[in-house]
Amino acid sequence: MTVIPMGRAVTVLGAGRLAVREWPEVSPGPGDAVVDVAYGGVCGSDVHYWQRGEVGESVLADPMVLGHEVVGTVRTAAADGSGPQAGTPVAVHPAQTCGECPRCREGRDNLCPSLRYLGSAARRPHTHGGFADRLLVPGHRLVPVPEELSLRTAALAEPASVARHALTRMAALAGGVRDRRVLVTGAGPIGLLVVALAHLDGAAEVTVTDLQARPLEVARQVGATRTLSAGEPLPPVDVAFESSGAPAAVAAALTALPPGGTLVQVGQLPGHGVAAPWHLTVPRELTFAGSSRFAGGMAETLVTIAENPELFAPIVSTEYTVDEAGEALAVASHPERSSKVLLRFGAP
């Protein structure tokens, strides 16, 4: 069930230490496919492992291949028929779960106690990621990409699935966003994807806040009806998504919500010292809920992207070759310069 990188792979060695290492070829088992990687999206977690050697409580102890947002083409199909045929463009599902625990059985496999995610140091041995020329992948973890969708835009499949899960959480808790006034705090890639999906889901208004001008400009391209600098007075809203992970943004969102409002927290908050006006949750009967990664597959999300490529394409800001991985991570760490940064693998 393990994903194994092969060929050149972007490997973090410790805080501030990055290398493109050669990883050996591995023979596939009956249920394994070989995928030629085309693109890998740089996530904030990749940047944090590179900058600090840790993401929250996940601390790097050994060299690890980065990357969990990966698309490519099947070179060799799984011999047991468990995955797509050779030549199929695919997205790699980043999660390995047990499939047997109560959370998995109820369709919440994102909360599986045994979950392993590509490019994560949460467990030891670490779970290598997909920033490599080739991957050995269990066939059942490959999701076909609609043939009309470019792999460059399909590289948004994983973060878009995270955003879709946040909207699914809102639907379960508050009936969704249709005809609602929606607030999204933080216009990083996840926030922008929440904006695009809320727009497609029929939100009446989508207000977006951020500290930087560039992400707000992109937000307007993908469905925002109003953009504001963080700290400016907010208009009336019905529901909110907090995607920045900043305590000040949580405070702003809670304050903006009306009685009965709901806030879905998508951004990863600090492990301590989060101050916010929690007292408002009682007299206003506010609902505050977390949204972690995503449950289920990515097929539905890929179809949505394929049906609206012009809406999602602006979120991809730039791409770099694998040999430019250090520059890619550096640019991705500056939201005033980029949105979703991609690493390009294979021949130019």
Side-chain angles (χ1 to χ4, degrees), residues 51-202:
Q51 289 180 329
R52 305 197 299 258
E54 61 183 22
V55 175
E57 296 180 348
S58 301
V59 180
L60 196 69
D62 305 294
M64 182 182 75
V65 178
L66 295 173
H68 56 262
E69 305 173 11
V70 184
V71 294
T73 303
V74 177
R75 170 185 285 205
T76 306
D80 66 359
S82 59
Q85 296 180 349
T88 304
V90 293
V92 178
H93 198 295
Q96 173 185 320
T97 58
C98 73
E100 300 173 353
C101 70
R103 299 291 82 79
C104 284
R105 289 199 300 269
E106 67 188 20
R108 303 183 74 184
D109 54 358
N110 58 316
L111 303 180
C112 174
S114 301
L115 181 143
R116 281 181 172 269
Y117 218 73
L118 292 183
S120 171
R123 298 175 183 272
R124 196 173 186 192
H126 299 332
T127 306
H128 289 302
F131 285 173
D133 285 329
R134 290 172 299 285
L135 295 175
L136 191 74
V137 187
H140 70 273
R141 286 175 63 177
L142 298 178
V143 184
V145 171
E147 59 182 54
E148 68 273 19
L149 180 62
S150 72
L151 282 172
R152 188 178 193 269
T153 306
L156 294 169
E158 193 274 349
S161 296
V162 172
R164 170 57 72 192
H165 182 66
L167 271 83
T168 300
R169 294 281 287 146
M170 185 66 78
L173 295 165
V177 300
R178 181 169 296 278
D179 299 325
R180 297 275 186 79
R181 297 167 298 181
V182 177
L183 171 65
V184 179
T185 55
I190 296 294
L192 292 171
L193 288 161
V194 169
V195 171
L197 292 168
H199 169 72
L200 290 174
D201 281 358

Side-chain angles (χ1 to χ4, degrees), residues 247-324:
V250 178
L254 287 172
T255 303
L257 285 174
T262 299
L263 170 60
V264 171
Q265 182 67 37
V266 193
Q268 185 66 49
L269 289 165
H272 54 83
V274 178
W278 302 113
H279 65 281
L280 296 176
T281 61
V282 174
R284 297 187 190 181
E285 283 198 359
L286 302 180
T287 299
F288 179 88
S291 182
S292 178
R293 293 173 174 156
F294 65 100
M298 297 186 286
E300 178 184 352
T301 302
L302 280 164
V303 169
T304 299
I305 297 173
E307 291 174 345
N308 306 274
E310 72 291 339
L311 188 65
F312 292 91
I315 297 173
V316 177
S317 56
T318 188
E319 61 182 70
Y320 294 87
T321 69
V322 61
D323 294 318
E324 300 169 322

